[in-house]
Every structure is written in structure tokens, then in C-alpha cells.
Amino acid sequence: MSDDSHEHQSFETRAIHAGNTADPLTGAVVPPIYQVSTYKQDGVGGLRGGYEYSRSGNPTRTALEENLAALEGGRRGLAFASGLAAEDCLLRTLLSPGDHVVIPNDAYGGTFRLFAKVVSRWGVEWSVADTSDPASVRAALTPKTKVIWVETPSNPLLGITDIAVVADIARSAGAKLVVDNTFASPYLQQPLALGADVVVHSLTKYMGGHSDVVGGALVTADAALGEELAYHQNAMGAVAGPFDSWIVLRGIKTLAVRMDRHAENATKVAELLTRHPKVTHVLYPGLPDHPGHEIAAKQMRNFGGMISFRVQGGEAAAVEVCNRAKLFTLGESLGGVESLIEHPGLMTHASVAGSALEVPADLVRLSVGIENADDLLADLTQALG
Ligand code: PLP
């Protein structure tokens, strides 16, 4: 449960203090890593701190979960072994056979795979919508729609969805709005305040921030739904371990300063790409000609560190740029302090090939890190040839 005393603090202060109470035994200012599976009971059922078994609850995980709830302005935060584990728990809690889900036409490939190859086998139906277009979302609704899923900015096309508008659509349809806030992080965007019911995170990305942990989270606006999800989190068991919880908590303390630098560097990279003769399209919501620029400016504090672009020469040329980059490391994932480059069609989004979510073959995705911007610009200039 979110600590009420942090409610009036600014984001940067909450990032450092929420959940991070000093250890009562030693006064250590950082929560210890409670690397433990079980807890001594004072007589049967006599739990000292409310903890009985670390799948059900662990103090280091609790610290992270309180921090997550405070940062997203939610009533309950829950930490999982990965982003997909969080999504799986959410979908199996909210949906039953016969229910229908609206999913975006641009989303992380693994999220699509979870719907198309796993959840659909349990009798859940789904339709694809362009969530940046409210008419497309309305058209995809059926009387059985229980969930509208939004990713904004989206992976990898950096599409922007108006969260408040889709929240209204969801409310009128009696459906829950789920927003994957991985690309923005709660520093840049807080979907619950805009009417979303649940926020999803891959903590692996900006929240952890150092490419050294895999984790996921759910944060709910409503305490009762949070309780239901906590029940399922324990029943399904894909929880975040104590060390992983601790390392994410540590990463979150610098989230605000990192995100500022990510956005500053990304703006410079986007400007360079816009001027480059071999680049045909630059997808970055910070650019004034991006179709979602105004909505992003309204619902985000800044435009983030992710950029995708398309190059002349098709797939071969895009692969060549990825292979030639040196400082931008060729690899999947995103959101770490180090810059990464990848080819979504062959890498992170290979699982959407042939579907409505297929991505262009000439697309390159960048996760712009917090290195010196001039070094990043020089590397991209040489990689583009
Ligand atoms: N959501 C988004 C937007 C992602 O980019 C990813 C992973 O890349 C996930 C969810 C899944 O998270 P994880 O890889 O931690 O399972």
C-alpha cells in the first residue's frame, strides 16, 4: 500500500524515499536484501512483520512495491519476475473464457505473442485497433470487451495514444484501461491520474536503468483490484526476488535525472537523423511533425529516450546501420544508461511478423543512453555512412 506521507512530495523525492524506510534493526538507510524464503513464527500463526513465506511477501519486495505505488500515484504496486510475468498475472486475473480484449496495432512483440499465442488458447478473443485513433478503439469494442490495452509511447513505432480519451471510452464500455508505461516511466507520464485502471511496467528498462536486471510491475488505481492481483500474484508465483527488487529500487533513485538526460540526448539525435539524407522517417514524439506530438506534450513531462527511424535501402541497409554502430551497442532491450541499437523486424518484434503488428523492414530502433551526446552523434554519423 502506498505510504500516504509521500503523497505531497515531489517525484524526485518520492523516488528516493518512498518505501525506502531505514532498517529498524540497524538504521541502515537502504532497505536490506532479505534473501530469505521463510520467517520464524511466534507460535502457530504468530507472524512478526506479517511475513510468512517469500512468494507471498518479502520486505525488500514490499519496499519496491510501495515505491512503485507512490511513483505512479496508485493504491497498490506489485513486483514480478519480468514485465511479461506481470502482464500474464494481470490478464489471467481480469479475463475469463469468452471475454474480449482490444490490443494496439503497435506494441512490444512479446505482449502481442502473449495475447495471440497464449491467452487466446484459453478462449479469450482479441481485436487489433489503432489506439492513437479513438474511432478505431470504439470500432473494435464488442459487448464482451473487458480490457483495452494501450502502450504509449509504443514500441517500436513511438505512436502516442491520448490516455484520457481512451479512459473515457473504456469507462463507457465497462472495460478496464491498461497502460504499458515502460517507454515513458512514471517520471514522464502518470496514466492513473489520466483515468487508467492499471499501469504495467517492464522494470527491466528505465526503472532498473542499468541493463542488469529483469523485472515487471503492476500498479492499480483501485485498492480492491490491487488486492485481487496480489492474491493472483501469490497464487501464480512469478514474483520479483529480493535481490532483483533491491537493484530496481536502487535504479529508481536516479530515474528523474536519468530521464532528463535521456530526453536531452534523444532530442539531439532526432535532430541529426532528421537532417540525414539516408534517413527517410524519424519517429520521435518530441518532433513537432510527429502525429502524436501535441498529445505527448499534453500528457508527458518530456518525450523520452526512444527513437525509431527508417532508412533508404530497405532491410539490408537497416541491418548494415545496426552492424556498423560501435558506441550504440547492438542488442535487444532498452532504457539503460548505455545506448543500444537494434533491428525490430529481425529482433524484438520478430514474433509479430505476418500479423497486423508487423513492423517495417527498413526500421532501426535506438535506445538513446546518457553518454556524451557528441559521441553518440559521431557514432550514428559513421554508422549511417
Ligand atoms: N512492455 C514493453 C513496452 C517492453 O518493451 C517489454 C520488453 O521489451 C515488455 C513489456 C516485457 O518486459 P520483460 O522483457 O521485462 O518481460
Side-chain angles (χ1 to χ4, degrees):
M1 190 67 63
S2 162
D3 181 346
D4 288 345
S5 65
H6 296 286
E7 261 174 26
H8 302 294
Q9 292 175 341
S10 60
F11 184 92
E12 296 85 339
T13 307
R14 274 181 281 148
I16 292 167
H17 293 285
N20 285 278
T21 42
D23 172 37
L25 194 63
T26 63
V29 296
V30 170
I33 304 168
Y34 282 92
Q35 193 68 42
V36 64
S37 61
T38 194
Y39 306 81
K40 180 181 187 310
Q41 303 196 5
D42 294 327
V44 175
L47 307 181
R48 292 182 190 186
Y51 295 100
E52 57 186 352
Y53 184 61
S54 280
R55 169 163 37 72
S56 326
N58 173 283
T60 318
R61 195 174 92 220
T62 303
L64 172 61
E65 291 179 335
E66 288 182 0
N67 181 272
L68 292 167
L71 294 191
E72 287 288 1
R75 297 298 300 280
R76 186 76 184 251
L78 296 163
F80 294 83
S82 70
L84 281 176
E87 295 183 17
D88 180 38
C89 178
L90 177 62
L91 293 174
R92 284 198 278 154
T93 304
L94 293 180
L95 299 168
S96 300
D99 289 344
H100 174 262
V101 186
V102 176
I103 63 169
N105 65 355
D106 177 25
Y108 170 56
T111 299
F112 174 72
R113 185 177 52 204
L114 182 63
F115 281 110
K117 304 281 188 219
V118 182
V119 177
S120 62
R121 288 177 45 225
W122 304 101
V124 170
E125 289 171 7
W126 50 274
S127 315
V128 173
D130 172 1
T131 58
S132 69
D133 173 10
S136 172
V137 177
R138 281 193 205 95
L141 295 172
T142 79
K144 294 179 171 174
T145 304
K146 291 281 171 13
V147 169
I148 300 177
W149 192 281
V150 162
E151 210 181 272
T152 184
S154 63
N155 181 3
L157 298 177
L158 282 305
I160 299 293
T161 294
D162 191 323
I163 297 172
V165 167
V166 179
D168 276 346
I169 297 174
R171 211 170 300 115
S172 324
K176 297 251 183 291
L177 174 61
V178 175
V179 176
D180 185 331
N181 204 25
T182 299
F183 266 35
S185 88
Y187 177 61
L188 298 185
Q189 172 174 280
Q190 303 197 338
L192 301 182
L194 298 168
D197 297 287
V198 184
V199 165
V200 172
H201 276 286
S202 170
L203 298 175
T204 318
K205 311 297 170 6
Y206 288 106
M207 302 290 265
H210 297 76
S211 306
D212 53 11
V213 65
V214 171
L218 301 174
V219 183
T220 64
D222 174 62
L225 177 58
E227 200 49 46
E228 212 185 319
L229 286 166
Y231 175 86
H232 284 82
Q233 179 195 40
N234 179 50
M236 293 171 187
V239 295
F243 181 71
D244 288 357
S245 299
W246 184 88
I247 202 98
V248 174
L249 256 182
R250 186 169 79 149
I252 286 174
K253 288 176 191 170
T254 56
L255 180 67
V257 287
R258 284 188 285 108
M259 292 314 293
D260 283 342
R261 178 63 81 87
H262 282 297
E264 193 184 314
N265 282 355
T267 302
K268 292 180 183 161
V269 168
E271 279 163 7
L272 173 103
L273 293 171
T274 307
R275 288 194 307 270
H276 201 284
K278 291 197 180 152
V279 174
T280 58
H281 302 75
V282 183
L283 311 177
Y284 183 60
L287 293 172
D289 63 352
H290 184 286
H293 177 69
E294 289 193 355
I295 295 165
K298 183 182 70 171
Q299 68 188 16
M300 297 175 74
R301 187 198 291 252
N302 203 331
F303 305 102
M306 297 301 298
I307 302 178
S308 292
F309 62 98
R310 298 175 66 178
V311 291
Q312 278 173 7
E315 181 177 295
V319 167
E320 183 68 12
V321 173
C322 294
N323 289 341
R324 278 210 296 251
K326 293 191 178 110
L327 183 55
F328 277 82
T329 302
L330 176 60
E332 301 201 357
S333 201
L334 59 108
V337 291
E338 57 288 291
S339 294
L340 297 177
I341 188 166
E342 68 123 2
H343 185 276
L346 297 175
M347 296 171 66
T348 49
H349 289 68
S351 61
V352 300
S355 78
L357 282 79
E358 186 164 293
V359 296
D362 58 5
L363 188 76
V364 175
R365 191 189 75 183
L366 301 177
S367 172
V368 180
I370 65 169
E371 300 96 335
N372 179 286
D374 292 339
D375 294 337
L376 296 177
L377 300 183
D379 188 43
L380 280 177
T381 304
Q382 72 74 26
L384 280 160

